[in-house]
Amino acid sequence: MNTCFPRMLNARTGWRPTRLTLALLLAYSVGVRAAPPGFEALEKPHEEILDVMLFGRSLGQEPVHLSADSVQFDHPQALLSKIKLRPESRGLVLQWLSVALPRHDELTCAAQYQAAGCGTISAPRQAEVIYDDAESRLSLFLPGDVLAVDGNENPHGARLYQPDPDASVGLVHEQRFQAVQSQTGSSRNQVMSAFGNGALGLGDRGFAGLRWQGSHDQSGGSTDNDFDVTDLYLRGDLNERMYLQAGRMGAQDLYGPLGGSQSFSFLPIPVISGVRIGSSRSYINASNDFTASSLPVVLQNNSRVDLYRGKQLLQSYVLAPGAHLLDASRLPDGSYPVTIRVFEGDRLVNEQTLPFTRRSGLQAPGLDGFDGFLQAGELRTQDSVADANGRQRDDEVFQAGARIPLGRWPASLTLGFSSDMIARYGEAGLSWSNSTDWGTFNGQLSAFAGNNGVRGVAQNFSWSMPDGGMGASLYQTRSWAPACGAEYSPLLGVKGCNQSLTASLSFNTGKWAWAALYTHSDYDGVDVEQQPDDPYTWPPGPIVRGINDVSRSYQLTATRSFNFGRLVVNTSLGLTQNSYNDGRSRHGAFLSFNANLMPDATLSSAGHASNTALDYRYQGGSDRASHTLGVTHSESWLNGSYRAWSVSGDAGSDGSTDATLSGDYNGQYGHGAATLLGNSGGGNDSSSLSLSYDSSFSVSHKGLAFGAAPSSAGQPPAAVVIDLPPIGNESMLLLQTSNGNYDASVGHAISVPVDGYSVASVNVSEANENTVGNLSLGAGRNYSGFLLPGHVYDETLQGHASYTYIGRLLRDGKPFAGALLLGSSSSVSSEVGGFSLLMDRRDAGLVYAWAEAGGLYQCKVVQHRDRADVVFVGSLACEPVDVATAPAEVAARIQAWQQTAESPPSDLPASPAS
C-alpha cells in the first residue's frame, strides 16, 4: 500500500483509522498498487474551515489552506482582531500568522495516546499550532509576553470575568413540579407544588429577574391554594462591582456573589417592593481567592445535594455516586452551621450539619474589598410580622449593610442597619481567619440591638487541621426581649429570652473516626392567653404564664469502614443522653451496620452500577430497645443520561414493615423521579406516591428550546443552546455539561441551563464509542464562556460521521483488482479485490468504483454487519454503468475533476457515494 495513503486521508477527510481498521487494511492490502497517475493533486494544499482555539477558548471558524505538513491562515488580519494583544505586539503577531506554520499533528492527544502534556506547546517563542484532524480543530499558541494584561487584574491575582460578547439577550426559565398523594387509613391527602425561576436579558449588562411559587393542598374535606411572586425586579450592572435594582426582591441574592459578601446573624432584611443599590462580586473570579472549611459528602447513588443555612437554601448540586468535596466558591462569607441534605429523587436519604467558615481574601480593584448595599421600599402586609394580637400592616422600611476589610489583617468588620416605622435595629460583627502550622482558625463575633429593647449576641469559633482529621467548633447565640416578654414590629418579632450553644470535637485514632457533640438550649418567656369577653370570667384580662425550658444533650460516636474486596461494611456506634429541667432524662446507645456489595469493576467501566446494601440498626437505653433490619438493591446507568431504579424493605422489632420502589431519570429534557412507599404495622397502615419533574427552557433569536434540569439554588439563570443537526446515521450524541451528562437527540436544539454570572462549560462528543461511527465534530463541540442572567449563547454543531466499509470487489465473478473506490475518501482495491473505504452512511446501498480500463462501475451492497464504526459488506458484484446514469453528485464530481486535473484522468478523486 502507498505509505502516503493514511496521511492523505487525514488531510482531506479528518479521519483517523482505528486499530481494527488498520489491521483490516493490512489484511486486504496484499499487492495493492500505488495511487494511479494523475492523482498527485490530492496531496496538494486545499482549503478547509477549522475551529481555532486559543487557551481553551474558541475564536470561531477560520478558513485555512492545509497541506500534508503545514497550515496557513487565509485571513490573518481577521483572526488578529479576535485576540487581545499588547499594542506594540500586533505587527509581530500578524507576521507570524501570515506564513505557513507546521501542523504539529503528532502532538495531539490521540497521536500520543493521551500522554502527559499532549495537546499543548509549552513556552512557544512565536505562533505555533496543533492540527487535530479528528476534531477539525486548530489550537493556536502564542508567547505570553505578547498578550494584553487584563486591566482588571488586582494585586492578589484574581480577575474580573468579562461577559461573552457573542451571547445574546433572551429568556431563560427553570421550573420544578412536585406531587405527593398519601393515604393513612381512610384519610387521603394530596399536595402539589410548583416553583419557577427566570431571567430576561436586557441589554449588555442588565436583566429582569422572576421567582414564583405555588401550591395546592387538599386534606380531608379542606383545600388550600396559594400562589406568590416572591421576586420580580429589574437589575442593571453599573460596572463590574456596582449594580442598581428595583422591584419586588428578597434577601436571597444579597448573601453571596450577586450582592456582595455581607453576613448577618440577626438583622432582619425582608422581601420589599422598592429600590436597591449595592456592590457585587458577580464578575469576580474567586475560584482561588477564598478560604473555606471542607464540606465532604459520600453518595451511594446519583443524588441532589442541598446546602442550607437555617431555612435559607444556599446551593444545590447534582452529583454522581462517590466521595465529593462540595464547591464552596459561591457560598456566602461568614462562620455558620451548614446542613447538608442528600436526596435520591424526592426521598431524603441523609442529613448532617457541619460547622462551616468561608472568608474571601479578595481586594477588588478600586474599592479595596469594600462591599455594601442600600435599599428602601414598602413591606407587604402578608410579609410583615404579626404582633401578639395577630395584627399586620404595610410599612415603609430601610436597610443598609457594609463589609469593611481591616487593612492587611485577615479580618473584616460588618455593619448593618434596618428600620421600619416602629423600630430600628443595628448589627455589628467582626470576623477573622488565619492559617498557621497549628491549623486554620476562624471566628466571628456579632452584636445586635433594637431601640425597642431587643438584643442579641453570637459567637462562632472553629479550628481544623489541614488533613481534616481533627477539629473543634463552638457556636453560641443569645437573644432576648425586655423582661423576657414579647416585642413586635413589622420587620421582627422576638419572644422571650433564648440561648443556644453547640460544641463539637472530632479526631481520629487509627482507622476509627471519633466525634463528640454537646448542645444546650435555654428559653425563658411568657405565654399570654386571652380571656373570653365574658363578665363572669375571673380574673378579668389576659392570663400570663411564665415558661422555662432547658435541655441538654451529649453524644459520642465512633465510625469505621471495613473493606472485604467488593464488600464494604460501615460501622457506627455511639452513646447519647438528653436531659430536661422538668426532671425528664433519656439515655441510650445505638449501633448500626451497613454492608454494601459494591459494583463489579467490569460493570462500572461500562457505566453500569449495581449495588446491594444490608442495614441493621439497634437503639436502646431508658426507652424500649428496638431493632431494624433493611435491605436495598439499586441499579444505575451512568453513561449519558442517568437512569436508575431501586427497591428497599425494612422490618422492625415492633412488627412494622416498610417497602419502597423508586425510579430516576435525568436527561436532555429534564429530571424526573417517582417513589412509591408502603408501610404496615402498629394498626396505622399508610402508602404514598411522590412524583417530581425539573426542567428548563430558553427563548432566543433562534426560537424556543427545551432543556435539562437546573442544578442551581434558584440563582437567576442563563443558558447555552446547542443545535444538533443530523450527522450520518447517528441518532444520539453525548452532551457533557457542568450540570451533568445527557444523551442528546440529533436534529434538535438543546438548552443547557447554567447559573447567571458563572462560567458555562459544554462539550459534545460521541454518545457511545462501541456503537457510533467515526465522528468528526468541528465548530460547536466545545464552549466555555461567562454568561450573565437572561443571556443565551447559541451554537450550531458542525461535523460529519464516516463508516469504514470492509469487503471485496468482484467483476464477472473474479477479484476486481486495482479499482479506485469512491466514498468519503479514495481507496484502491488489492490484487484479491479487498478494500477498505470510508462512507458517510452506515446503510449505503451502492459503491462506485473506477477502473483504468472500463470506466465507472456500480457495486451493489446486499449485507451490512456493523461493529462500532466498521461495516462488513462481504463480496460486492460490480457492473459497468454509464457516467450519465450515475447520481448527479457523482457525475458532477467527475466533471469537476476533468476540468481541474493537470492531465487527462485515468481515475477519480474522493467523492461521496450514494
Side-chain angles (χ1 to χ4, degrees):
M1 175 176 283
N2 187 355
T3 57
C4 73
F5 179 61
R7 182 179 62 184
M8 181 179 68
L9 293 182
N10 287 344
R12 295 192 56 83
T13 70
W15 174 72
R16 172 174 284 110
T18 63
R19 295 182 181 179
L20 174 61
T21 304
L22 290 174
L24 292 170
L25 278 170
L26 292 175
Y28 280 92
S29 63
V30 179
V32 176
R33 62 178 176 84
F39 280 85
E40 294 82 1
L42 291 177
E43 293 189 342
K44 290 187 176 182
H46 59 280
E47 185 171 292
E48 287 197 18
I49 298 179
L50 302 177
D51 190 17
V52 180
M53 309 290 292
L54 178 66
F55 299 118
R57 173 74 182 272
S58 175
L59 298 178
Q61 292 183 311
E62 288 291 327
V64 302
H65 265 75
L66 192 68
S67 70
D69 53 10
S70 68
V71 58
Q72 184 167 359
F73 294 105
D74 287 0
H75 306 295
Q77 186 71 51
L79 177 62
L80 190 75
S81 65
K82 301 178 182 180
I83 306 173
K84 293 182 180 181
L85 298 169
R86 296 180 182 272
E88 64 272 18
S89 302
R90 297 184 64 85
L92 178 61
V93 176
L94 181 60
Q95 294 179 21
W96 293 342
L97 299 179
S98 301
V99 299
L101 301 172
R103 290 174 22 156
H104 288 314
D105 45 357
E106 75 281 359
L107 298 179
T108 63
C109 290
Q112 296 186 351
Y113 299 102
Q114 305 296 331
C118 65
T120 185
I121 297 177
S122 60
R125 296 187 176 183
Q126 62 175 21
E128 300 278 4
V129 297
I130 295 179
Y131 170 57
D132 191 339
D133 56 348
E135 309 297 344
S136 296
R137 184 171 60 204
L138 194 67
S139 296
L140 174 64
F141 301 90
L142 295 171
D145 55 2
V146 304
L147 299 173
V149 177
D150 193 334
N152 297 319
E153 199 168 5
N154 63 58
H156 289 266
R159 303 171 190 252
L160 298 180
Y161 287 119
Q162 294 300 319
D164 190 334
D166 296 325
S168 60
V169 296
L171 170 66
V172 186
H173 192 273
E174 305 166 342
Q175 53 275 337
R176 174 179 296 175
F177 302 99
Q178 293 178 304
V180 179
Q181 177 171 300
S182 60
Q183 183 165 348
T184 302
S186 60
S187 176
R188 176 176 295 181
N189 300 324
Q190 290 181 340
V191 177
M192 291 182 288
S193 63
F195 167 81
N197 175 42
L200 174 66
L202 301 173
D204 294 336
R205 297 288 181 112
F207 69 94
L210 167 69
R211 291 192 186 96
W212 59 268
Q213 59 186 20
S215 64
H216 168 79
D217 189 347
Q218 183 174 344
S219 178
S222 63
T223 302
D224 183 22
N225 296 313
D226 181 59
F227 180 82
D228 186 29
V229 177
T230 58
D231 288 81
L232 181 59
Y233 59 85
L234 300 177
R235 170 165 167 154
D237 295 328
L238 305 178
N239 54 42
E240 287 84 358
R241 285 282 284 147
M242 299 295 295
Y243 70 94
L244 180 64
Q245 189 167 305
R248 178 161 174 77
M249 52 198 172
Q252 178 169 342
D253 294 339
L254 203 55
Y255 301 120
L258 270 68
S261 58
Q262 302 85 200
S263 180
F264 300 105
S265 300
F266 302 98
L267 192 72
I269 302 179
V271 177
I272 67 168
S273 296
V275 180
R276 177 190 297 166
I277 185 171
S279 63
S280 78
R281 295 175 176 262
S282 302
Y283 293 83
I284 293 173
N285 179 3
S287 58
N288 296 314
D289 196 48
F290 69 92
T291 58
S293 46
S294 61
L295 293 172
V297 63
V298 179
L299 306 177
Q300 298 294 332
N301 298 291
N302 198 79
S303 306
R304 186 182 88 247
V305 180
D306 292 347
L307 297 188
Y308 280 84
R309 178 185 183 182
K311 295 182 179 180
Q312 179 191 3
L313 179 62
L314 298 177
Q315 188 72 28
S316 288
Y317 312 85
V318 177
L319 301 173
H324 303 270
L325 285 177
L326 301 180
D327 179 17
S329 62
R330 299 185 70 85
L331 299 183
D333 281 5
S335 183
Y336 46 88
V338 167
T339 299
I340 303 175
R341 295 173 182 167
V342 179
F343 293 86
E344 294 179 4
D346 286 329
R347 184 168 61 98
L348 178 64
V349 297
N350 188 25
E351 179 176 329
Q352 61 176 326
T353 299
L354 298 176
F356 176 76
T357 298
R358 183 189 188 278
R359 181 183 179 276
S360 174
L362 185 70
Q363 303 296 308
L367 293 178
D368 197 30
F370 174 86
D371 277 312
F373 75 95
L374 295 170
Q375 71 176 26
E378 187 176 86
L379 185 68
R380 289 192 317 177
T381 298
Q382 68 186 76
D383 297 316
S384 63
V385 177
D387 62 18
N389 297 314
R391 293 189 296 267
Q392 293 175 311
R393 66 186 183 114
D394 288 337
D395 208 336
E396 295 178 355
V397 294
F398 171 81
Q399 286 89 28
R403 173 184 181 266
I404 307 169
L406 299 180
R408 297 184 178 180
W409 293 88
S412 62
L413 179 66
T414 302
L415 301 174
F417 176 79
S418 182
S419 72
D420 53 37
M421 299 302 292
I422 295 178
R424 295 178 295 277
Y425 304 96
E427 181 174 342
L430 177 67
S431 62
W432 69 92
S433 176
N434 191 28
S435 297
T436 70
D437 294 338
W438 297 93
T440 301
F441 297 85
N442 298 282
Q444 182 172 329
L445 300 174
S446 299
F448 169 76
N451 67 339
N452 54 2
V454 172
R455 298 288 187 271
V457 294
Q459 305 92 33
N460 302 324
F461 305 97
S462 66
W463 162 75
S464 62
M465 293 297 292
D467 59 5
M470 181 174 293
S473 64
L474 175 67
Y475 293 85
Q476 183 178 25
T477 62
R478 293 183 62 195
S479 63
W480 61 92
C484 291
E487 287 291 339
Y488 295 90
S489 76
L491 278 173
L492 182 68
V494 176
K495 186 178 181 181
C497 300
N498 296 271
Q499 178 178 350
S500 66
L501 183 147
T502 300
S504 66
L505 174 66
S506 61
F507 57 93
N508 296 335
T509 58
K511 295 183 178 181
W512 286 91
W514 298 82
L517 180 69
Y518 169 76
T519 63
H520 172 85
S521 177
D522 189 342
Y523 172 74
D524 283 302
V526 296
D527 183 23
V528 180
E529 180 181 347
Q530 297 294 330
Q531 290 281 16
D533 188 11
D534 186 344
Y536 299 102
T537 300
W538 187 262
I543 299 176
V544 180
R545 297 187 178 92
I547 298 176
N548 178 245
D549 287 331
V550 179
S551 65
R552 293 181 177 85
S553 66
Y554 307 83
Q555 181 172 305
L556 177 65
T557 61
T559 59
R560 179 177 174 178
S561 294
F562 300 87
N563 296 325
F564 306 97
R566 289 176 53 203
L567 182 65
V568 178
V569 179
N570 299 307
T571 304
S572 179
L573 54 93
L575 302 173
T576 63
Q577 179 174 343
N578 301 315
S579 60
Y580 309 89
N581 61 325
D582 60 1
R584 292 180 295 125
S585 179
R586 297 177 55 192
H587 60 272
F590 62 87
L591 172 66
S592 68
F593 291 96
N594 176 263
N596 282 274
L597 186 61
M598 303 308 290
D600 185 271
T602 57
L603 293 178
S604 298
S605 62
H608 175 212
S610 176
N611 179 263
T612 301
L614 183 67
D615 291 282
Y616 170 76
R617 298 182 295 277
Y618 164 81
Q619 186 158 352
S622 55
D623 295 335
R624 184 176 60 180
S626 63
H627 306 262
T628 304
L629 183 65
V631 62
T632 301
H633 180 76
S634 63
E635 303 273 347
S636 60
W637 291 262
L638 305 178
N639 282 347
S641 298
Y642 175 77
R643 306 172 304 282
W645 66 269
S646 67
V647 60
S648 63
D650 291 335
S653 57
D654 59 355
S656 63
T657 57
D658 296 291
T660 303
L661 177 64
S662 64
D664 202 347
Y665 178 82
N666 191 18
Q668 70 183 61
Y669 293 126
H671 177 204
T675 301
L676 178 63
L677 173 65
N679 173 271
S680 65
N684 194 25
D685 295 352
S686 63
S687 63
S688 68
L689 173 64
S690 63
L691 305 171
S692 70
Y693 176 64
D694 299 5
S695 62
S696 65
F697 68 85
S698 63
V699 181
S700 64
H701 66 280
K702 286 191 175 182
L704 173 66
F706 295 97
S711 64
S712 71
Q715 293 180 191
V720 177
V721 176
I722 304 295
D723 190 4
L724 304 176
I727 299 177
N729 290 98
E730 305 308 317
S731 59
M732 307 292 289
L733 293 174
L734 179 62
L735 201 62
Q736 299 171 305
T737 76
S738 53
N739 290 2
N741 300 336
Y742 318 109
D743 290 322
S745 304
V746 299
H748 297 81
I750 309 300
S751 179
V752 181
V754 296
D755 288 346
Y757 296 116
S758 70
V759 176
S761 176
V762 177
N763 175 266
V764 184
S765 63
E766 296 85 349
N768 189 332
E769 294 181 355
N770 296 320
T771 59
V772 302
N774 182 33
L775 294 183
S776 177
L777 302 177
R781 172 170 188 171
N782 297 287
Y783 174 74
S784 179
F786 184 73
L787 297 179
L788 270 60
H791 287 66
V792 180
Y793 179 84
D794 293 287
E795 181 67 277
T796 299
L797 180 71
Q798 295 184 3
H800 67 272
S802 60
Y803 308 89
T804 304
Y805 278 46
I806 300 293
R808 186 174 182 228
L809 298 185
L810 300 178
R811 182 176 56 179
D812 299 328
K814 298 179 181 179
F816 192 0
L820 180 69
L821 292 96
L822 310 177
S824 297
S825 67
S826 297
S827 175
V828 181
S829 60
S830 70
E831 291 183 354
V832 295
F835 72 90
S836 170
L837 176 68
L838 286 184
M839 302 287 286
D840 59 4
R841 294 184 59 84
R842 188 188 292 274
D843 55 356
L846 296 174
V847 171
Y848 288 90
W850 182 274
E852 294 181 9
L856 185 65
Y857 284 79
Q858 177 179 283
C859 310
K860 187 175 183 180
V861 181
V862 296
Q863 65 171 323
H864 297 81
R865 290 186 296 120
D866 299 343
R867 182 177 299 172
D869 61 341
V870 176
V871 181
F872 297 93
V873 294
S875 297
L876 309 183
C878 300
E879 300 291 340
V881 294
D882 190 347
V883 174
T885 64
E889 185 177 359
V890 174
R893 292 301 300 271
I894 294 174
Q895 183 180 7
W897 173 257
Q898 291 173 340
Q899 294 175 350
T900 58
E902 296 180 356
S903 60
S906 59
D907 295 309
L908 291 177
S911 172
S914 298

